Amino acid sequence: PAPTANKPSATTYRNVLAALSTFALVGGYYAATRPSGVGWRLPFSLHPLLMTIGFVGLMGSAHLTKKLGGYTNTKLHGYMASAGLTLSFGGLYAIWKNKENMGKGHIQSTHAYLGIVCLVV
């Protein structure tokens, strides 16, 4: 059998999963409603919300789940990572649509270039 030195305990797994989920939901909502006082704006606000849930919440949890080992956890890892990637592409679509609505160009900042790299890699 493979060494289990990197396998998290059940308690550690639950705690980290709770932290990732909470941060993804709360942090994503917080980022989606900035700057302060502006509130929720569609489609723009979906961009930070979906990206944070996708990359941090789901893909982070998928990575940790894979470390548990076993067939079922490996399958769950794949489902979670796929859902995270899907939500991240939803975030890309939201910002793309927002740029179109505002008549602005696409992929013109370092933030945009790095975001595309994160989605592709």
Side-chain angles (χ1 to χ4, degrees), residues 72-97:
T72 302
N73 289 326
T74 299
K75 294 290 279 187
L76 183 57
H77 154 83
Y79 295 139
M80 293 168 77
S82 296
L85 185 62
T86 301
L87 286 182
S88 297
F89 273 107
L92 173 63
Y93 175 78
I95 201 64
W96 193 276
K97 193 70 177 156

Side-chain angles (χ1 to χ4, degrees), residues 20-103:
L20 286 171
S21 300
T22 301
F23 177 80
L25 293 171
V26 174
Y29 179 79
Y30 179 82
T33 56
R34 296 301 104 188
S36 184
V38 174
W40 189 263
R41 304 168 314 260
L42 288 176
F44 175 80
S45 293
L46 289 174
H47 172 70
L49 179 67
L50 294 176
M51 289 293 190
T52 307
I53 292 171
F55 278 115
V56 177
L58 287 167
M59 290 189 204
S61 298
H63 174 74
L64 186 62
T65 300
K66 176 67 174 157
K67 287 191 164 289
L68 293 174
Y71 179 79
T72 302
N73 289 326
T74 299
K75 294 290 279 187
L76 183 57
H77 154 83
Y79 295 139
M80 293 168 77
S82 296
L85 185 62
T86 301
L87 286 182
S88 297
F89 273 107
L92 173 63
Y93 175 78
I95 201 64
W96 193 276
K97 193 70 177 156
N98 187 67
K99 294 280 189 181
E100 298 245 324
N101 291 348
M102 297 179 72

